[in-house]
Amino acid sequence: MGIILHELVGTDLNRPFSPHCWKTVMSLAHKGLPFNRNRVSFKGIPALEGAFSPKVPIIRDGDKRVADSFEIALYLEDTYPDRPSLFKGEGGRAMARFVEGWSQMTLHPYLNLVILMPVHDILDAPNQAYFRESREKIFGRPLEEVAAERDARHDAFTKSLEPLRKMLLSQPFIGGEGPLFSDYIVFGAFQWVRVLTPFKLLDEKDPVHDWFERCLDLHGGIAREISAAE
């Protein structure tokens, strides 16, 4: 039967958007492991795998269930050591921990502003109500007020990518000559935006843009199969 990946969608079942689920899609593809994709809404998550986790991604590999994109990557690395490595050693695992923290603290705060209303708008009524209530509890104000800061904060976000930009001037991937899980961590964040909104996040001359395009072409273009939002 292969591995089952539970991932997040809205009303369009062909447009999975979770950045964390995209990390797992790319990890499974990197390992060359066949998998089936079960796409669920926010409110469908509690029924998955006997309420195994309140969040996706979740994978089932035979009798084994694993949640959290980083834990899934570690599981795949340790369970399938004969397949292409996601880390290439302990140094790669340590680097990925840093990149995960950097992504969560530098990329996601701004990208959350970009995707707030697009996510809301692709949900059905019950999921919209859940999404609005849960996110407004986090932000402490209406979604529309938070999303309105998108344009004003875009320049600062662009500048925050300078360390990544500088590195990509000397190597094609965060992992060096080829991608590692660290690439998929950052890729998932940008793919989040790509599949939800036509908002132009990166200039086409930006080295980060070129890196993202290379990632879209990886593994037979599995990520590019989902068309960009229009």
Side-chain angles (χ1 to χ4, degrees):
M1 186 175 181
I3 295 171
I4 298 172
L5 165 63
H6 302 291
E7 61 181 342
L8 184 65
V9 292
T11 54
D12 185 347
L13 299 183
N14 294 315
R15 192 163 292 276
F17 59 84
S18 163
H20 309 296
C21 293
W22 274 108
K23 296 178 207 174
T24 298
V25 169
M26 299 299 278
S27 296
L28 288 162
H30 183 104
K31 283 286 188 182
L33 294 165
F35 63 101
N36 297 303
R37 302 170 77 163
N38 178 46
R39 294 169 175 174
V40 298
S41 68
F42 282 107
K43 292 185 73 65
I45 295 173
L48 293 174
E49 301 291 349
F52 179 69
S53 171
K55 297 179 181 180
V56 288
I58 303 168
I59 66 165
R60 173 183 280 278
D61 185 13
D63 294 331
K64 181 70 174 180
R65 297 172 297 175
V66 188
D68 181 84
S69 59
F70 208 110
E71 291 302 313
I72 291 170
L74 294 173
Y75 167 79
L76 296 176
E77 186 78 347
D78 293 340
T79 305
Y80 300 97
D82 56 323
R83 301 278 184 150
S85 177
L86 287 163
F87 300 100
K88 290 193 175 176
E90 289 303 315
R93 295 185 189 224
M95 177 180 74
R97 290 290 186 192
F98 170 79
V99 173
E100 177 86 343
W102 178 80
S103 179
Q104 292 291 327
M105 298 185 70
T106 302
L107 304 183
H108 281 243
Y110 175 71
L111 299 183
N112 261 306
L113 307 184
V114 178
I115 60 83
L116 265 181
M117 296 314 301
V119 169
H120 176 271
D121 292 345
I122 65 168
L123 303 177
D124 61 19
N127 280 282
Q128 279 187 344
Y130 160 78
F131 184 77
R132 181 175 289 277
E133 180 182 3
S134 61
R135 271 50 181 182
E136 289 184 351
K137 185 178 293 185
I138 293 171
F139 290 109
R141 51 194 173 127
L143 298 184
E144 290 80 1
E145 287 187 15
V146 180
E149 298 177 4
R150 182 193 70 179
D151 292 347
R153 293 176 58 177
H154 184 239
D155 284 348
F157 170 76
T158 300
K159 291 176 182 176
S160 75
L161 299 178
E162 195 58 31
L164 178 60
R165 192 173 291 119
K166 185 175 179 61
M167 183 194 65
L168 291 171
L169 290 174
S170 59
Q171 60 193 60
F173 293 99
I174 298 171
E177 290 302 309
L180 295 176
F181 185 61
S182 291
D183 287 271
Y184 305 143
I185 292 169
V186 181
F187 172 80
F190 286 106
Q191 178 77 334
W192 193 20
V193 175
R194 175 181 173 271
V195 301
L196 286 170
T197 171
F199 178 69
K200 187 176 180 181
L201 194 62
L202 299 167
D203 187 276
E204 292 181 0
K205 296 181 180 179
D206 193 325
V208 180
H209 176 274
D210 293 341
W211 162 85
F212 184 64
E213 290 293 315
R214 288 193 290 274
C215 289
L216 286 171
D217 289 333
L218 291 169
H219 315 310
I222 190 171
R224 200 183 286 280
E225 289 175 1
I226 308 300
S227 61
E230 298 180 352

